[in-house]
Amino acid sequence: MPPTNNHINYIEFKATNLEATKSFYSNAFGWKFTDYGDSYVAFETSGLDGGFTITDQPITNGALVVLYHNNLEEIKEKLIQLGATISVDVFSFPGGKRFQFLDPSGNELAIWSE
């Protein structure tokens, strides 16, 4: 099924050790993983696809909810008009582009597109 605008499409967590994280979730729940370099690993077979990104910072808000939208510039401008702050500007990754924003309460989310 193709992604739908404004629906939660992916969830991303922070991790301090990707190998230990993969081992834990693989053994605990049977999740399957795909490595994307040394700092990112995607997971599937969890009910909702997602990934883990490496960090050396203390993890205080470990999940990044990722939404889909087919027009990044349009939704980015709308969010800014509504009071969001862009925390990570648009960047490319294997499979698409995305950006991250803070809502008015400080929650960080991301939006991606092909």
Side-chain angles (χ1 to χ4, degrees):
M1 171 190 271
T4 303
N5 285 350
N6 307 318
H7 286 186
I8 295 174
N9 176 259
Y10 195 84
I11 191 162
E12 193 170 280
F13 298 94
K14 296 180 191 265
T16 56
N17 181 316
L18 291 181
E19 290 305 315
T21 299
K22 289 190 310 186
S23 177
F24 174 83
Y25 284 97
S26 178
N27 289 315
F29 306 120
W31 292 5
K32 305 293 182 208
F33 293 90
T34 302
D35 293 325
Y36 291 97
D38 295 334
S39 62
Y40 196 86
V41 61
F43 62 83
E44 57 184 288
T45 67
S46 63
L48 179 67
D49 290 350
F52 290 94
T53 187
I54 196 77
T55 183
D56 59 1
Q57 302 296 311
I59 299 172
T60 56
N61 182 11
L64 178 68
V65 174
V66 181
L67 302 136
Y68 173 86
H69 199 282
N70 61 4
N71 188 324
L72 282 187
E73 290 304 318
E74 176 184 292
I75 193 65
K76 179 181 165 187
E77 288 307 313
K78 181 177 183 178
L79 292 171
I80 291 169
Q81 290 173 4
L82 293 170
T85 302
I86 303 305
S87 55
V88 177
D89 209 352
V90 176
F91 66 94
S92 297
F93 64 91
K97 295 181 179 183
R98 84 173 202 202
F99 69 92
Q100 292 166 216
F101 67 96
L102 301 174
D103 71 13
S105 296
N107 295 299
E108 188 172 33
L109 290 89
I111 299 181
W112 82 280
S113 188
E114 288 94 359

